[in-house]
Amino acid sequence: GTQLNMMFDQLTEAISSIAKQLGPKQKITEASVKPALRGVRRALLDADVNVNVADTLIDGVKSRSLGKEVMEGVTAEQQFIKAMYDELLDMMGGDSATAKSTQQTYKPAATLAFTKDKPTVVLLAGLQGAGKTTAAGKLALYLKEREVDYDAVNPEDDQETQLASKLPKRQRKVLLVAADVYRPAAIKQLEILGESIQVDVFSKGTDANPVDIAREALQKAANEGYDTVLVDTAGRQIIDKDLMTELKRIKETVKPDETLLVVDAMTGQEAASLTAAFDSAVGITGAILTKMDGDSRGGAAVSVRGVSGKPIKFVGTGEKTADLEPFYPDRMASRILG
Ligand code: GDP
């Protein structure tokens, strides 16, 4: 989005002021980078990055650079951009130690934990309007058609070879479960979504109890050979006790392999604190960050893992069912830095 580009402009401007101070083989001192890092911090906070996350990033950039010389063959600016890139990568769950360059590699930071001898169960939670039901449909389609067996990829291969070798697919048989019984419209929405992507939807209307629905859905999945069960749970306007209690009950019953919180990127660092709150209340395994196509400022993408300790696993990039991608920290770091 344009806001992300703005964050990039501000960051580059701040970092480029370093170049005016430092030439090749000059030692990087606290004094010489102070104004630049102040600018970087401001750019991060303007992009609605959580303040602790911003400070951790700054500290990391400092410890990567202070006391070192500006390397031959690169400018001070380039050296700082690389330090910033590595820090962003680590913060978002990537691995700066294995990142060869600022180019996108191929493996996302976190993929789903699939089970072998029973259907894999994924619970989707979130506040109303975050895009939870849409995400359920997107994830179903993704697992049905595009889930890639990253374990089968040889990480030694360069990216071109990986792309050329056509990654093996794990096409899954998915059952969508409508457990948001408080809004008849939500059940209907999921049924329509399911039909459009040709994925079966299990629903029992609004009279049944969500825990019973989830239990029956699991039974059906086991009996009929589904290997993945996606449960769309109820959303509320705010986090309340009833919502958490219900989620906990469903969790105890279906023992999910993944509990994913769907959060809206437009809410910036709110998305990060929400993820932390859901995790401490019910325990989650990761987040799906929606509406990354919108005018979001990047604060959510940068902050979620740093604040909650939980990785972003997927991002939503539009309203259509195909608009879902695994979260690549390296690609996001490159986008933020231009
Ligand atoms: P729920 O209440 O959390 O189940 O939210 P919905 O799935 O009904 O989505 C709420 C609104 O957000 C709908 O208008 C969706 O089309 C829209 N939406 C969901 N995900 C995305 C996304 O990744 N990008 C955009 N632009 N819109 C989205």
Side-chain angles (χ1 to χ4, degrees):
T2 53
Q3 297 272 11
L4 255 182
N5 293 340
M6 242 171 72
M7 171 165 167
F8 157 62
D9 290 342
Q10 282 191 48
L11 280 173
T12 351
E13 201 179 305
I15 292 171
S16 72
S17 69
I18 292 170
K20 295 187 192 100
Q21 303 252 353
L22 288 166
K25 302 214 76 171
Q26 265 185 291
K27 204 161 242 169
I28 299 166
T29 64
E30 177 109 38
S32 62
V33 295
K34 201 169 181 184
L37 290 181
R38 204 180 293 137
V40 168
R41 187 170 188 271
R42 197 174 316 117
L44 292 170
L45 297 183
D46 281 355
D48 206 20
V49 171
N50 171 277
V51 65
N52 295 327
V53 169
D55 287 340
T56 306
L57 283 167
I58 301 283
D59 286 345
V61 172
K62 274 193 201 164
S63 71
R64 278 176 204 271
S65 45
L66 293 189
K68 300 209 172 111
E69 275 178 5
V70 176
M71 287 182 285
E72 225 151 348
V74 298
T75 64
E77 189 178 349
Q78 287 165 331
Q79 194 163 322
F80 267 85
I81 286 178
K82 178 68 168 78
M84 190 75 213
Y85 174 86
D86 287 344
E87 281 303 314
L88 278 169
L89 203 55
D90 287 345
M91 182 59 76
M92 294 189 290
D95 184 359
S96 64
T98 60
K100 289 193 194 81
S101 65
T102 54
Q103 288 302 302
Q104 173 208 341
T105 53
Y106 213 57
K107 194 166 171 159
T111 43
L112 297 180
F114 293 110
T115 53
K116 282 216 168 67
D117 37 10
K118 68 170 196 66
T120 299
V121 181
V122 181
L123 276 191
L124 291 175
L127 297 186
Q128 239 168 55
K132 183 171 50 59
T133 304
T134 307
K138 287 175 172 180
L139 193 56
L141 179 66
Y142 178 87
L143 294 172
K144 181 188 164 205
E145 289 186 349
R146 290 159 55 213
E147 164 67 13
V148 157
D149 191 356
Y150 290 99
D151 298 335
V153 176
N154 182 358
E156 299 294 306
D157 287 347
D158 62 31
Q159 194 181 338
E160 256 166 64
T161 315
Q162 289 185 12
L163 283 167
S165 73
K166 287 216 179 61
L167 297 172
K169 301 268 164 50
R170 285 192 282 219
Q171 295 183 336
R172 312 203 45 106
K173 188 178 178 198
V174 182
L175 181 63
L176 274 168
V177 183
D180 183 355
V181 295
Y182 307 102
R183 288 189 312 145
I187 300 177
K188 190 79 203 149
Q189 188 187 348
L190 198 66
E191 284 170 345
I192 292 168
L193 266 173
E195 206 165 312
S196 74
I197 56 175
Q198 296 184 13
V199 167
D200 295 336
V201 176
F202 181 81
S203 64
K204 298 195 71 182
T206 51
D207 293 335
N209 170 322
V211 176
D212 294 337
I213 295 173
R215 187 187 296 116
E216 275 183 51
L218 241 66
Q219 198 57 55
K220 177 184 166 74
N223 292 343
E224 299 176 22
Y226 293 89
D227 57 25
T228 313
V229 181
L230 293 186
V231 185
D232 183 23
T233 65
R236 300 272 160 84
Q237 238 110 48
I238 47 156
I239 309 183
D240 64 14
K241 243 177 101 196
D242 290 345
L243 174 67
M244 294 303 185
T245 307
E246 180 176 299
L247 258 177
K248 271 191 237 172
R249 286 219 189 95
I250 298 178
K251 261 193 87 175
E252 280 157 20
T253 308
V254 303
K255 303 196 170 42
D257 303 287
E258 296 275 356
T259 304
L260 301 177
L261 182 70
V262 179
V263 287
D264 179 344
M266 303 290 284
T267 64
Q269 60 168 315
E270 277 288 315
S273 41
L274 197 63
T275 308
F278 262 80
D279 185 46
S280 60
V282 297
I284 61 170
T285 55
I288 298 180
L289 190 58
T290 64
K291 307 185 194 179
M292 276 305 284
D293 54 309
D295 208 10
S296 100
R297 286 175 291 171
V302 177
S303 307
V304 163
R305 189 168 162 279
V307 170
S308 71
K310 299 295 165 181
I312 297 168
K313 297 208 168 184
F314 292 93
V315 290
T317 56
E319 295 191 75
K320 293 199 279 303
T321 42
D323 297 333
L324 185 82
E325 295 166 13
F327 179 60
Y328 298 98
D330 43 13
R331 182 155 50 180
M332 183 54 67
S334 301
R335 263 184 78 192
I336 288 169
L337 292 169

